[in-house]
């Protein structure tokens, strides 16, 4: 990843330039269908190592583009009841050099 922009509440964004290694990538999404409407919750979290060997982590809020191959393991599940259906995806990933 050539650059990183960190948005913080009530502060100006911080921008880092350089090569960042993905240490850990994890996340989940849950979709619930009930009464004809669909709601989604969840997100993606990442931990990165910067060029100065500091670890930076947080939630991904935009497009994430890796410079190389990322291996992702996914688990998909579904739950059914009389009133609603829900399904979700859980994934974990690691960067492969």
């Amino acid at each position: 990843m050539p650059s990183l922009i960190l948005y913080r509440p009530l502060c100006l964004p911080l921008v880092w330039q350089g090569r960042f290694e993905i240490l850990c990538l994890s996340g989940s999404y849950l979709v619930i269908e009930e009464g004809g409407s669909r709601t989604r919750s969840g997100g993606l979290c990442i931990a990165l190592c910067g060029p100065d060997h500091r670890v930076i982590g947080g939630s991904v809020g935009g497009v994430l583009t890796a410079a190389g191959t990322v291996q992702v393991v996914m688990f998909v599940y579904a739950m059914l009841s009389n009133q609603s259906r829900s399904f979700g995806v859980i994934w974990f990933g690691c960067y492969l050099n």
Side-chain angles (χ1 to χ4, degrees):
M1 298 175 58
S3 65
L4 172 69
I5 301 173
L6 177 66
Y7 295 97
R8 302 174 298 161
L10 306 175
C11 297
L12 293 175
L14 297 174
V15 179
W16 283 286
Q17 299 293 326
R19 183 175 173 88
F20 294 89
E21 298 289 330
I22 299 174
L23 300 176
C24 180
L25 182 65
S26 64
S28 65
Y29 278 99
L30 177 64
V31 179
I32 299 174
E33 293 179 359
E34 187 169 19
S37 66
R38 180 183 284 188
T39 58
R40 181 182 74 176
S41 65
L44 180 64
C45 295
I46 192 167
L48 303 168
C49 180
D52 57 356
H53 304 290
R54 284 195 288 174
V55 176
I56 303 166
S59 297
V60 175
V63 176
L64 176 66
T65 305
T69 304
V70 177
Q71 181 178 6
V72 178
V73 177
M74 296 179 66
F75 171 72
V76 179
Y77 62 91
M79 298 182 300
L80 302 173
S81 71
N82 291 338
Q83 283 85 26
S84 66
R85 291 188 316 169
S86 64
F87 55 94
V89 178
I90 300 173
W91 64 85
F92 305 95
C94 61
Y95 183 71
L96 301 176
N97 293 349

